[in-house]
Amino acid sequence: MTVGTLVKWLEERAPLRYQESYDNSGLLVGDAQMNITGVLCSLDADEDVLREAIARGCNVVLSHHPIIFKGLKRLTGSSVAERTVAFAIRHDIALYAGHTNWDSIAGGVSFSLARRLGIQNPKVMMPRGGALMQLVVYVPKDFAADVAEAAFLAGAGHLGNYDECHFTSEGTGTFRPLEGANPFTGTKGVREVTREQRLEFVVPVALKNQVRDAVWQAHPYEEVAHSWISLDNSTSDLGYGAVGNLPKPVRLGEFIARAARELGADAVRYSTANLERMVQRISVCGGSGAEFIGAAAASGADVYVTSDAKYHGFQDTPSGIVLIDVGHGESEQPFIEDWAEAIRSEFVTFAVLISGSDNRPVRTYLNHG
């Protein structure tokens, strides 16, 4: 079992094209052809985590946060990133990061947080728009099924929990082959009339070229009559945050206590003095999501759970919603555990472990008076 096989599996579920432009997810250090002895999953990768990996027989470290973020110009050991990368190279440890691509998919970081907090049937809180196109292509009736199958295999026609979606209508097409043409059917200089089907597919923007190449290869015509139409539709399985309902309403104070307990948070900050109010609809965003408070309020949530909220973020919380900050790492740790379990379920030839290193960059002093 090679590193490249694991990377392919990871990126089929959270493609790198979904990461933000500033991000650096993917295989950061290591040879894709290297055989895996074990995988250690961690929120952050540093020297302590790599030493733990060696001690536990792992030569792959999967972290949520990339150790190489803004780029490295030298490896002199003057920073944590430089020392960690140099250590990985010396000891043949592969480093892989799955960051904002896993933040922005249904089933990713925020969904792990939602499930840990008891939210049922979570949906994407802030669906991503502008990521879809519509392909319309005209095909001779006898070839419509083959062209549709090629489009599906290339990634067209996927909508939420459904795939192989498209619409077909039938009509009459005309064309006249000119000099230099090599028509599939018809005679040069003579108008041809033929029965055709109009096929319509929704296509992710990132897959446009892939779908085009597949459809063109399956299409019998020399010139493929088609159109690409930009859509404003948002995608239900792509975007930040998650929102859903608790099984029944609970006191806010009870929910905050549950969140602290489930996430192992030393301290939880929140934006209201009224802990007796009842709450049921909960929105969450793992990691630094305080800027999305408006989307959380628009989702109809009573509570928004995230991290890295500033003083004025609490002060300016929209009416009707409570902002809860549980801590950055605390909000993302449930994903690390789910990530490891998903890999264990798929691959049985190596151990998949969760790091026990306490490398939290932010700690809380508990004042007991």
Side-chain angles (χ1 to χ4, degrees):
M1 173 74 189
T2 65
V3 171
T5 302
L6 176 60
V7 167
K8 181 176 183 294
W9 184 85
L10 290 168
E11 293 177 4
E12 285 174 349
R13 281 142 191 81
L16 295 183
R17 64 179 179 269
Y18 292 160
Q19 69 179 312
E20 294 291 343
S21 59
Y22 59 77
D23 201 8
N24 192 34
S25 296
L27 183 62
L28 306 182
V29 176
D31 182 356
Q33 301 305 314
M34 182 172 67
N35 288 322
I36 297 174
T37 62
V39 172
L40 186 66
C41 298
S42 178
L43 190 61
D44 293 282
D46 61 12
E47 291 174 280
D48 287 341
V49 171
L50 269 58
R51 291 189 185 96
E52 179 188 358
I54 293 172
R56 301 178 73 180
C58 299
N59 65 346
V60 178
V61 171
L62 301 184
S63 67
H64 179 48
H65 299 137
I67 187 63
I68 304 174
F69 198 70
K70 295 182 179 180
L72 297 176
K73 295 184 177 180
R74 56 185 62 85
L75 291 176
T76 61
S78 62
S79 69
V80 171
E82 290 179 19
R83 291 192 297 273
T84 302
V85 170
F87 188 102
I89 293 171
R90 284 198 306 272
H91 294 276
D92 289 328
I93 299 174
L95 303 182
Y96 184 93
H99 194 211
T100 54
N101 52 325
W102 285 92
D103 284 324
S104 58
I105 61 168
V109 175
S110 293
F111 281 69
S112 292
L113 174 59
R115 286 190 292 269
R116 182 63 62 87
L117 296 179
I119 299 170
Q120 297 182 325
N121 302 315
K123 306 294 183 184
V124 172
M125 179 188 77
M126 194 169 64
R128 183 178 296 182
L132 293 173
M133 303 190 77
Q134 182 182 26
L135 169 61
V136 178
V137 60
Y138 299 87
V139 190
K141 184 176 180 181
D142 292 343
F143 288 83
D146 291 340
V147 170
E149 183 66 19
F152 296 149
L153 291 174
H158 189 105
L159 294 169
N161 292 326
Y162 299 84
D163 65 4
E164 300 189 3
C165 304
H166 83 308
F167 181 81
T168 303
S169 55
E170 193 166 326
T172 301
T174 70
F175 56 89
R176 186 174 67 169
L178 302 176
E179 283 300 322
N182 183 25
F184 169 75
T185 184
T187 303
K188 292 180 183 180
V190 178
R191 180 187 301 156
E192 178 75 11
V193 179
T194 183
R195 300 297 295 174
E196 293 182 336
Q197 289 193 346
R198 172 186 166 119
L199 309 184
E200 302 178 38
F201 307 88
V202 171
V203 179
V205 170
L207 296 183
K208 178 181 176 181
N209 292 342
Q210 180 175 314
V211 171
R212 181 198 60 204
D213 292 346
V215 167
W216 269 231
Q217 186 172 356
H219 203 291
Y221 283 177
E222 184 178 24
E223 298 289 347
V224 178
H226 72 285
S227 59
W228 290 100
I229 302 170
S230 297
L231 301 176
D232 288 333
N233 303 47
S234 59
T235 51
S236 60
D237 56 354
L238 186 64
Y240 285 120
V243 62
N245 292 335
L246 300 174
K248 61 181 181 180
V250 299
R251 289 178 50 254
L252 175 62
E254 179 184 339
F255 177 77
I256 292 173
R258 179 196 302 174
R261 182 174 61 252
E262 290 292 331
L263 301 176
D266 293 336
V268 174
R269 301 185 298 156
Y270 51 93
S271 64
T272 181
N274 180 13
L275 296 179
E276 298 302 316
R277 64 177 290 182
M278 304 300 289
V279 298
Q280 184 173 21
R281 187 160 179 80
I282 312 296
S283 57
V284 304
C285 185
S288 185
E291 64 186 290
F292 303 138
I293 183 68
S299 73
D302 304 313
V303 170
Y304 180 42
V305 180
T306 188
S307 72
D308 297 346
K310 296 181 179 180
Y311 178 90
H312 291 294
F314 286 103
Q315 191 176 51
D316 296 335
T317 298
S319 175
I321 190 170
V322 178
L323 173 62
I324 299 178
D325 187 328
V326 295
H328 192 117
E330 289 81 357
S331 72
E332 295 173 329
Q333 186 61 33
F335 166 69
I336 302 303
E337 297 167 15
D338 287 352
W339 211 19
E341 183 56 37
I343 298 167
R344 285 191 201 108
S345 298
E346 181 68 20
F347 302 105
V348 296
T349 57
F350 53 84
V352 182
L353 309 175
I354 297 173
S355 174
S357 297
D358 186 3
N359 60 352
R360 293 173 295 170
V362 180
R363 300 169 187 270
T364 303
Y365 173 77
L366 299 179
N367 184 357
H368 299 290

